[in-house]
Amino acid sequence: HKTMGTNSKHPAPIKLETPGERGFVDSAKAKEIIQHWNDQLAGHLQIAKVALGADADLSTIILCDRVSLTDKSYDAEAASLIAEFLSTPWKDGLPPLANGIVEADLSDIIAGRMTEEGLQVLETICDAFRAAQLVEADLSDNAIGQQGIGACKSVIGKKSLERLSLCNNGLSEATMAQVADILTNDEDGTGSIASRLTKIHFYNNMSGEGGCSEFVRILEQSKCLVDIRFSSTRARREGSTIVASALDAALADGRNADLERLDLCDNIFKDAASHDALFRALGATKCLKYLDLRECDLEDDGVKKVCHALFESDSALEHLDLSGNCITRKGAKHIADFIRDCQGKLKILRLEDNEMTSLGVQHIAKAFHVSEDGFAIEEIKLNCNMCGAIGARALIDAFGPGGKDLPNLNKILLDGNSFDESILSELKEAFQDKLGEMEDNDDEGDADDDLSSDEEDDDEDEDDDESEDVHAAEVDADELAAMMEKSSIV
């Protein structure tokens, strides 16, 4: 097809979206949606005719290359009407609209439907794209069981597919096996879908440890993934280790070398095997910009290794989430070391739901205060960290008068800590509208009242021993490099 937009005279293809708020769509509403689309397309066609001239051949022009049906729940008749509109020839001899569509957002289209009707709707809508060369498909937020995968196969099984999202679908181990079968199939000898994928998202499913093994089958054939999300799948410790090992093996083989986004939230990386595999994998990334390891049971030792691996990788990380990992002030010190060394690119830092106390927060604040990275940071999230006056004043100091030392900061979140009224006033005066809601702040005391003198003395000792820490970091980096040379799937 000749896509409008490839020539300066051609208006770019438009995106068809369903107007109105979230709701149920019956046949009457479907006809309204179709009329809305017809009006859009007719107007766009007229623009094309003017741009190309009266004698231009319009039969190969693509008016629309993206469609979004999300956030509406279609009954069977409505689905049939929309599918017919997309899959049959349009006006003026133009081909079916679906033929030119490369991106289809089909998320959340059967909410509240009984199983039989939901499956019928999924199959009807997906079959409308049989002739399409889909590059991206999102089927998230649809209750897809084993029967549902069959209903969606005309989309999931597209050889042209490069980006696929299956989040919050309730995928079981058996359903994940079906997905893996489809994505790894190469019966025609042209290569599997998995080998072409640049994006794969599985989130909030219930596939368990067995589902991890099925996901690994996809990873084993992957070559060019840039965006990986495998989180909240009830993986448990064993499954998490399997996934980490597969990532390690792929990167060690030079596959997925351009990985930019990695979300492994809510996996469990607690034992030595998962630690080693995960940290070898992180150390092998060179393009990573986004890393989410929230609620992964890393604790201080794991966080230390993550930070050293990221330093070894030399990636220009922009987003780091280590929330909910039982990080204390000791782990915070390693994060602070990474901040100082991360090339000033970090924009988002999320460390909520940890146990850093003011001493750990102080380490983080000091890192921004002396680092070039302070000029890039846009969001700092430190909710629920047992922080009090010491940490608050360290953050204010790092921010500088009028925010001159952190000029790009637009959000700082500190709720769920313990600041008395005077400290809270200082925070509000310093950060003004950049400070998030403080509804859960405990203003009846100060969290620092619970810091023992031993803890403060220990923290001072750690600062005094900074040269020893630097030496230890160098040793850890050498050990990590040696580990990466020995990288192999567990």
Side-chain angles (χ1 to χ4, degrees), residues 64-118:
C64 163
D65 63 356
R66 292 152 294 152
V67 65
S68 175
L69 303 180
T70 188
D71 216 23
K72 302 288 192 297
S73 179
Y74 304 87
D75 67 18
E77 190 173 353
S80 180
L81 288 170
I82 288 174
E84 182 180 6
F85 173 77
L86 293 172
S87 59
T88 56
W90 198 62
K91 300 177 182 178
D92 297 328
L94 291 175
L97 294 169
N99 290 18
I101 291 174
V102 295
E103 297 178 10
D105 185 352
L106 310 180
S107 61
D108 196 16
I109 62 172
I110 57 171
R113 300 294 175 187
M114 298 296 289
T115 300
E116 184 177 353
E117 184 176 34

Side-chain angles (χ1 to χ4, degrees), residues 139-307:
L139 284 158
S140 302
D141 299 310
N142 294 306
I144 298 177
Q146 289 180 268
Q147 291 176 294
I149 293 300
C152 300
K153 190 173 181 180
S154 53
V155 166
I156 297 175
K158 282 286 178 190
K159 283 284 190 175
S160 55
L161 209 59
E162 295 177 10
R163 302 185 293 273
L164 176 64
S165 296
L166 288 168
C167 302
N168 196 33
N169 295 114
L171 301 182
S172 65
E173 176 183 340
T175 313
M176 274 294 293
Q178 285 184 298
V179 173
D181 286 343
I182 293 170
L183 297 182
T184 59
N185 178 50
D186 186 25
E187 289 182 355
D188 61 5
T190 61
S192 66
I193 297 169
S195 68
R196 299 184 180 94
L197 288 176
T198 61
K199 171 184 173 180
I200 185 76
H201 279 199
F202 291 101
Y203 161 73
N204 202 28
N205 290 301
M206 53 183 187
S207 51
E209 183 183 335
C212 294
S213 297
E214 301 302 336
F215 181 61
V216 165
R217 290 173 56 202
I218 300 169
L219 286 180
E220 286 174 342
Q221 292 198 20
S222 65
K223 296 179 181 178
C224 47
L225 283 170
V226 174
D227 185 351
I228 298 174
R229 187 181 192 187
F230 191 76
S231 55
S232 299
T233 63
R234 304 183 186 180
R236 297 186 296 183
R237 185 176 300 190
E238 295 80 2
S240 300
T241 301
I242 290 170
V243 171
S245 298
L247 282 171
D248 172 27
L251 288 161
D253 284 347
R255 295 181 287 115
N256 308 321
D258 295 326
L259 184 65
E260 294 182 3
R261 293 176 60 92
L262 180 60
D263 180 351
L264 298 175
C265 168
D266 197 22
N267 284 281
I268 300 176
F269 302 115
K270 200 173 180 68
D271 57 28
S274 64
H275 274 192
D276 291 350
L278 176 64
F279 308 137
R280 283 194 302 264
L282 291 176
T285 61
K286 300 301 178 185
C287 304
L288 199 64
K289 294 181 180 179
Y290 179 107
L291 178 62
D292 189 343
L293 293 175
R294 183 186 184 99
E295 297 181 4
C296 287
D297 275 1
L298 290 168
E299 300 182 337
D300 289 339
D301 184 57
V303 166
K304 176 182 177 180
K305 292 179 181 178
V306 165
C307 291

